[in-house]
Amino acid sequence: MTITQPNERTHLEPGKWVRACRLDDLEPSWGEAVLLRMRQIAVFLLSPREVYAVAHEDPAGGAPVMARGIVGSHGDRPTVASPLHKEVYDLGTGECFTDPSLALRTFRTRIVGGFIEIELEGR
């Protein structure tokens, strides 16, 4: 499932919070792809109060597949493994545990009134 929000403006102020979807639209431990301001973002719900957002593009190969990644953990840190290359990334920092030369773009998230919002920077 891909959740899309309309593109109301093409320029964003730094730190602009954009509504992505309802919290109820997500299933725990599964990723969903959202399209926000012409950017594909993978969103992961790990608990009712823990949501992560990362670039949907796989850093190793460039394919838009990260929402289909395998959610897990590395110690107490939540992770996602690329469904294509199996590289494992920290959902909070984007650090790649299996290849230090790779990094996954991360986005801050918050829950407001039952909706997930993602912070996007200006272009």
Side-chain angles (χ1 to χ4, degrees), residues 35-85:
L35 180 62
L36 299 176
R37 311 293 193 236
M38 303 305 293
R39 174 176 286 141
Q40 294 183 40
I41 299 173
V43 181
F44 299 90
L45 174 69
L46 299 189
S47 75
R49 311 230 21 91
E50 188 177 16
V51 178
Y52 292 90
V54 299
H56 189 40
E57 182 178 289
D58 184 335
V65 297
M66 293 308 292
R68 301 295 165 244
I70 302 161
V71 175
S73 64
H74 184 80
D76 63 349
R77 297 166 71 179
T79 61
V80 63
S82 165
L84 296 179
H85 300 281

Side-chain angles (χ1 to χ4, degrees), residues 12 15-18 20 32 34-44 50-57 66 90-95 103-111 116-123:
L12 294 176
K16 174 74 174 169
W17 288 94
V18 180
E32 294 292 348
V34 298
L35 180 62
L36 299 176
R37 311 293 193 236
M38 303 305 293
R39 174 176 286 141
Q40 294 183 40
I41 299 173
V43 181
F44 299 90
E50 188 177 16
V51 178
Y52 292 90
V54 299
H56 189 40
E57 182 178 289
M66 293 308 292
D90 184 301
L91 279 170
T93 66
E95 173 188 0
L104 183 61
R105 172 77 169 95
T106 62
F107 299 90
R108 291 186 349 156
T109 63
R110 67 184 182 188
I111 301 169
I116 296 170
E117 294 183 350
I118 297 173
E119 184 180 36
L120 299 180
E121 72 282 349
R123 289 186 187 209

